[in-house]
Amino acid sequence: MTITADNASSIAELERLKVLHIGSKGKLTFSDAEFERRLGGLRRIMAAKDLDAVILTSYHGIKYYSDFLYTTFGRNYALVVTADDSVTVTANIDAGMPWRTSYGENIVYTDWRRDNFYFGLQEALRQRGVKANRIGVEDDFLPGLTREKIAAAFPGAQLLDVSQDAMRQRMIKSAEEIEVIKHGARIGDLGGEAIRAAIREGISEYEVALIGTEAMVHEIAKTFPHREVRDTWVWFQSGINTDGAHNWATTRKLQQGDILSLNCFPMTSGYYTALERTLFLGQPDERSLELWNINVEVHRRGLELIKPGAVCKDIAAELNEIYISHGLLANRTFGYGHSFGVLSHYYGREAGLELREDIDTVLEPGMVVSMEPMITVADGLPGAGGYREHDILVIGEDNSVENITKFPFGPEHNIIGA
């Protein structure tokens, strides 16, 4: 529509904000008690920092405390949390879906005036009688321009970072969260089996990836029929394409003798899990087999080291010694593992719970971590390719450790068609 003198006044009169309770609230991923537990933890952070409210803007922050996972497409989203309740602030393009799929109340802002989003933040607090002098924000996922505009919307208020405290809260999983993660690991195993069955000479990487993705999506829909189905993917690499852990599938066709990397990522209502395995199409050569077995040695030892009381950096240091003994430390591509929960390839990361030399977090019950050593040998050298294994471990309240990945690893299981 072209704005003219005749219609400009009517546009100005259109609503800046709406309440769109369309349909009824759907079944959420977790119980109301679970969301109250999470919000209670955030309110304890607020009390410790003397905050009047928190404005969460990240995918993971909003999802964790409300169950709503937004799609940005250039628009802003928020969850405003006060001492008494919570409200999502979402774009009119999504209509009633955010309210139906979230815990708490919802305010919708329209596109009819610039910065209606920030007006929505103001209204969320005004309607609740909150005069915000100190506001918590997520500086780990907040663009500078957005932060400036939030500050301008609340003149005189201080904005203080809560991202690291919220991250530490997310690191300890509840029983309900662990149940979802276990389903994810099971579904990843199913994707791996579908991929293993599809591997043959001449098939393209992307075709294999589609087969694994489809198998997982069907099972996610069956297991979580009340939630949206989105974001599950597979990275399946062969030959030279295995050198990086995050290389996307290509049109390269599998050849006899190829090293293969199977990576399944089922996304169950915003919760990420993973299965990653090295395979070979046909018998690997002597050096490839040697490298694969070394990485499996590191993987097995890593699985043994994950236990309550272990320190992330100490696990990394001990595993480094195995690579050093084989002259392969320089071939290591990243840390030895990370936490699980609300994260994906485009959002989220519990950076305080990674198995790296610079992380001094102590493992404790309720944490869920991976063990995933990887080495890469450059193309043109004996044994060229990337070698990686990946299992997920749950540290239990009784100090037990459960490996919830069941797909087998190593040469005795994953040489195809030899």
Side-chain angles (χ1 to χ4, degrees), residues 9-267:
S9 60
S10 62
I11 290 173
E13 292 167 3
L14 289 169
E15 296 174 287
R16 298 186 71 178
L17 303 176
K18 297 180 179 181
V19 174
L20 296 178
H21 290 180
I22 300 173
S24 57
K25 286 276 193 181
K27 182 178 179 181
L28 302 182
T29 309
F30 303 102
S31 68
D32 288 358
E34 171 66 8
F35 285 109
E36 283 299 321
R37 182 194 70 81
R38 297 178 184 192
L39 289 165
L42 181 59
R43 289 180 179 121
R44 285 190 289 275
I45 294 169
M46 291 168 58
K49 292 181 174 290
D50 192 25
L51 301 175
D52 302 300
V54 168
I55 298 174
L56 302 167
T57 51
S58 70
Y59 292 100
H60 41 284
I62 296 172
K63 173 67 178 178
Y64 182 76
Y65 292 106
S66 78
D67 216 23
F68 172 60
L69 184 57
Y70 65 81
T71 304
T72 176
F73 266 103
R75 291 174 171 84
N76 294 101
Y77 291 79
L79 175 68
V80 179
V81 180
T82 70
D84 299 313
D85 71 350
S86 60
V87 54
T88 49
V89 179
T90 62
N92 192 45
I93 195 170
D94 296 326
M97 184 272 288
W99 176 76
R100 291 194 302 272
T101 61
S102 65
Y103 184 78
E105 201 33 86
N106 172 251
I107 293 175
V108 173
Y109 72 92
T110 70
D111 288 345
W112 296 114
R113 283 180 60 180
R114 185 179 298 277
D115 289 343
N116 277 353
F117 168 71
Y118 303 98
F119 180 64
L121 299 180
Q122 292 172 323
E123 279 296 288
L125 293 182
R126 186 193 67 78
Q127 291 172 10
R128 285 153 181 80
V130 176
K131 178 172 174 52
N133 295 310
R134 292 169 61 86
I135 301 172
V137 294
E138 296 173 287
D139 279 337
D140 67 339
F141 207 92
L142 183 60
L145 181 59
T146 304
R147 197 184 201 280
E148 289 175 9
K149 289 190 173 185
I150 292 175
F154 299 96
Q158 285 183 275
L159 303 188
L160 298 101
D161 181 46
V162 298
S163 65
Q164 300 307 298
D165 298 276
M167 177 190 70
R168 282 189 286 272
Q169 182 186 352
R170 297 196 308 272
M171 282 163 48
I172 305 297
K173 309 298 187 258
S174 69
E176 289 189 34
E177 285 183 279
I178 290 172
E179 185 66 18
V180 169
I181 292 169
K182 286 183 175 181
H183 276 300
R186 174 183 62 82
I187 292 166
D189 288 343
L190 291 176
E193 293 294 348
I195 287 173
R196 197 181 193 284
I199 292 172
R200 57 178 170 79
E201 191 169 9
I203 193 170
S204 298
E205 291 176 359
Y206 83 90
E207 292 176 295
V208 176
L210 287 173
I211 290 167
T213 302
E214 182 178 14
M216 291 190 291
V217 167
H218 284 310
E219 186 62 24
I220 290 170
K222 179 181 175 182
T223 306
F224 300 94
H226 51 282
R227 298 302 295 175
E228 62 266 34
V229 180
R230 58 180 289 185
D231 298 333
T232 290
W233 85 103
V234 167
W235 284 324
F236 183 80
Q237 304 117 353
S238 63
I240 192 173
N241 294 334
T242 64
D243 65 340
H246 295 168
N247 297 351
W248 286 82
T250 72
T251 58
R252 184 184 185 278
K253 296 184 183 298
L254 276 56
Q255 303 170 21
Q256 193 69 19
D258 272 346
I259 184 174
L260 309 172
S261 188
L262 177 161
N263 307 272
C264 292
F265 305 104
M267 292 293 295

